[in-house]
Amino acid sequence: MYRVNEIFYSLQGEGRHTGRAAVFVRFSGCNLRCPFCDTDFAAYKPMAIADIMNAISLWSECGFVVLTGGEPSLQVDDALVEELHRAGFYVAVETNGTHALPDSVDWVTWSPKDGFNDHVPPLALSRIDEVKVVFDGEHNPEHYSSLAVGAYLCLQPCDTGDPDRNRETTRQCVDYILRHPHWHLSLQTHKMIHIQ
């Protein structure tokens, strides 16, 4: 059984696939505690693979599923990915990178969290397609690019909940990208247009 926080259909709001229609399967539970996390870890429903597939079948036409969390690598396994592929889904995972993922995952987005947590386990991914660094203006993201050579590199301003601080962090993020143009700006567009 998988501990599923929620399943919903929306647009991917951030990163390389911004704007793409996607089914989101949000898993409950994480091995880290980031100050900006928006997931209620106490709320989840135990679901078998058949339950998950039944829930997402309403939106199978979009062909894109994002496994997120929490930390999905604590639960995602070959059996689930195989079933999603069998149903025609391209499978993307958003992870903090501290646990291995099935090799059959189609797109791996690594969002490192060592800048926000003490004692983060070492990177455990065998492949990284995208690096999405939550940028707070205080930590230098450059060393992540050397850990994910060839990956699509995104800087995303940290949403602190303080509009003034957010504006300043976004300005710093833009300035950084102008000086390091191999990075791309990732905005949480789903928050900007008020969708889930």
Side-chain angles (χ1 to χ4, degrees), residues 32-105:
L32 303 178
R33 289 293 178 263
C34 299
F36 50 81
C37 185
D38 57 2
T39 301
D40 177 6
F41 294 116
Y44 68 87
K45 178 180 180 181
M47 298 181 78
I49 289 178
D51 300 324
I52 294 171
M53 298 309 298
N54 184 57
I56 70 175
S57 65
L58 295 170
W59 309 294
S60 59
E61 187 176 298
C62 84
F64 184 53
V65 64
V66 178
L67 307 179
T68 187
E71 177 46 49
S73 67
L74 299 175
Q75 299 185 62
V76 172
D77 55 19
D78 287 305
L80 178 59
V81 176
E82 182 180 328
E83 197 61 35
L84 291 166
H85 281 156
R86 187 176 290 120
F89 283 98
Y90 183 91
V91 181
V93 176
E94 299 179 351
T95 177
N96 64 30
T98 59
H99 289 82
L101 288 167
D103 291 335
S104 55
V105 168

Side-chain angles (χ1 to χ4, degrees), residues 73-171:
S73 67
L74 299 175
Q75 299 185 62
V76 172
D77 55 19
D78 287 305
L80 178 59
V81 176
E82 182 180 328
E83 197 61 35
L84 291 166
H85 281 156
R86 187 176 290 120
F89 283 98
Y90 183 91
V91 181
V93 176
E94 299 179 351
T95 177
N96 64 30
T98 59
H99 289 82
L101 288 167
D103 291 335
S104 55
V105 168
D106 298 301
W107 185 267
V108 177
T109 298
W110 172 41
S111 186
K113 300 298 192 299
D114 53 329
F116 304 98
N117 290 272
D118 295 328
H119 313 297
V120 173
L123 183 63
L125 300 175
S126 60
R127 187 184 95 238
I128 300 169
D129 299 297
E130 172 183 25
V131 179
K132 185 178 66 182
V133 176
V134 177
F135 186 77
D136 63 357
E138 297 177 18
H139 299 91
N140 184 348
E142 205 55 44
H143 72 281
Y144 299 119
S145 62
S146 65
L147 298 172
V149 175
Y152 189 85
L153 303 175
C154 295
L155 283 188
Q156 183 167 293
C158 183
D159 182 2
T160 64
D162 176 345
D164 293 332
R165 177 69 182 132
N166 287 355
R167 275 190 293 276
E168 176 59 19
T169 301
T170 301
R171 184 196 64 75

